[in-house]
Amino acid sequence: MDLLANAVDAIQVGVEDYHVGTRPRVLAAVRNIHAGILLLLKHTILQKVPGEAGEHLIKAMVEPVLDPSGQVVYRGTGKKTIDAQQIQQRCTAIGIALDWAALRRIGAVRNEVEHYSTQLSLPAIADVITSAMVLVRRIADEHLGVEPRELMGRDTWDAMLKVATVHSEERHACDEALSAVSWESETLAKGIRNVRCAACASDLLRPSDEAASFDDVVLICRACGASLEADRAIPQAVASELAWDDYFAVTDGADEVIGTCPSCGNDAYVDAENRCARCGESVDRRCDRCHGEILLSELYSAPLCGYCDHVMSKDD
């Protein structure tokens, strides 16, 4: 299994598909580029951990077994290899650093193609190619020790650079316009840059009025002209910035980092800021009865914590 050759072939075909420009080929471009990046990362794991150990590491299922000396070792089983989330986990565990948010953005557009989107635009695919180019460059330079142009081939790399240049200029203009808005939340200010157009999946969104208050902002897609109201844009922005932290917090048995605001009902209450990024309201997190902390998941019971609210309701 030559993962590197397959990875390069997939990305090269994806870039060719994009430049053909027909809808079926544009959709195929997303699938091929996403698949190529995942294959490239699997190859990188094998380079980092050569031999049998690396082969086990790229298997989706890993089980403990006894080796001939009676020691417990972990072996990969089955034919299925690791998916995007497992790739991030395994790479992180062995010290392969990357912009994982960029990989998730590519995956999100790929999922739109597979399951949801009916109006995917060329600018949305340009974003995929741009993100892929950045990832390929970092993987090649930092982890494989080869020139990206040498890895991908001159024609493919030059084509990726041209797409990325046009897209990055437009994206820079959108970022400057977004920076002009007073978001009043660091989480929101970061996450708003990751929000995508619901109609075409493009990330080229900018405020219709840069002087508007954050709670009145309307984002306009530069790719297709669709608009996105604050009620949809702000919860998406918070989720995009904190979803991974929220996942790990809950997995580790800790409380959520994103909660439902008791004032506006949006899933945009940020634990670290103790305020809702959508409406700006803040809840006193000290329980009136026991003076303990009110967890984010218990905001519905404020000014009581969940336990005291339960006790008081039984007394009634």
Side-chain angles (χ1 to χ4, degrees):
M1 178 173 59
D2 193 339
L3 288 176
L4 182 59
N6 289 342
V8 171
D9 286 347
I11 296 172
Q12 288 176 336
V13 170
V15 174
E16 291 174 5
D17 286 336
Y18 170 81
H19 284 290
V20 169
T22 62
R23 180 166 178 75
R25 295 292 292 272
V26 166
L27 298 183
V30 180
R31 299 186 187 98
N32 283 319
I33 290 171
H34 182 254
I37 292 292
L38 297 187
L39 288 169
L40 189 59
L41 286 169
K42 291 174 188 177
H43 171 77
T44 305
I45 291 174
L46 293 180
Q47 295 301 297
K48 182 79 171 180
V49 185
E52 187 178 348
E55 294 290 346
H56 290 303
L57 200 57
I58 65 171
K59 292 288 187 179
M61 296 294 296
V62 178
E63 298 178 350
V65 298
L66 294 177
D67 69 7
S69 67
Q71 298 294 315
V72 175
V73 295
Y74 289 88
R75 304 289 188 192
T77 62
K79 295 183 178 181
K80 185 177 180 181
T81 57
I82 48 181
D83 60 19
Q85 182 176 325
Q86 291 173 312
I87 285 173
Q88 177 177 346
Q89 293 170 341
R90 307 273 171 95
C91 284
T92 301
I94 61 175
I96 298 175
L98 203 65
D99 182 357
W100 299 112
L103 181 61
R104 291 195 294 273
R105 286 194 295 271
I106 297 174
V109 177
R110 186 263 181 194
N111 289 340
E112 288 289 327
V113 169
E114 288 295 322
H115 306 294
Y116 305 109
S117 180
T118 57
Q119 298 297 324
L120 199 68
S121 66
L122 284 179
I125 312 304
D127 177 44
V128 170
I129 294 175
T130 301
S131 297
M133 187 194 74
V134 173
L135 291 176
V136 168
R137 184 178 63 211
R138 286 200 59 186
I139 293 169
D141 286 343
E142 300 175 14
H143 303 297
L144 298 180
V146 298
E147 288 290 330
R149 184 185 295 267
E150 178 183 335
L151 177 66
M152 297 307 306
R154 180 172 180 175
D155 290 344
T156 298
W157 189 246
D158 285 348
M160 293 172 77
L161 284 173
K162 289 177 182 177
V163 174
T165 298
V166 174
H167 181 270
S168 64
E169 289 176 355
E170 188 66 35
R171 179 66 208 231
H172 179 70
C174 291
D175 283 345
E176 286 200 330
L178 290 169
S179 296
V181 178
S182 178
W183 297 106
E184 298 185 20
S185 163
E186 183 178 353
T187 299
L188 178 56
K190 292 179 179 178
I192 200 71
R193 299 171 189 272
N194 297 325
V195 174
R196 292 184 174 274
C197 174
C200 74
S202 172
D203 69 334
L204 300 178
L205 298 173
R206 62 188 303 166
S208 59
D209 180 3
E210 296 171 22
S213 171
F214 75 93
D215 56 342
D216 290 328
V217 73
V218 176
L219 300 182
I220 304 298
C221 177
R222 295 277 290 176
C224 71
S227 61
L228 193 63
E229 304 290 334
D231 273 340
R232 296 187 65 187
I234 292 178
Q236 284 185 39
V238 172
S240 72
E241 183 63 21
L242 297 179
W244 203 244
D245 292 338
D246 197 55
Y247 169 78
F248 279 116
V250 174
T251 301
D252 291 341
D255 196 35
E256 304 163 343
V257 301
I258 308 170
T260 302
C261 176
S263 296
C264 69
N266 282 285
D267 293 330
Y269 202 99
V270 180
D271 185 44
E273 299 174 353
N274 195 34
R275 70 185 297 276
C276 176
R278 173 64 186 92
C279 69
E281 289 297 315
S282 181
V283 176
D284 183 354
R285 303 280 291 278
R286 190 63 57 189
C287 176
D288 281 355
R289 183 173 179 270
C290 71
H291 307 297
E293 180 187 8
I294 300 175
L295 299 177
L296 201 64
S297 55
E298 301 174 344
L299 290 182
Y300 65 89
S301 65
L304 300 176
C305 67
Y307 175 76
C308 289
D309 181 63
H310 174 67
V311 171
M312 295 296 287
S313 65
K314 288 181 68 176
D315 289 345
D316 292 342

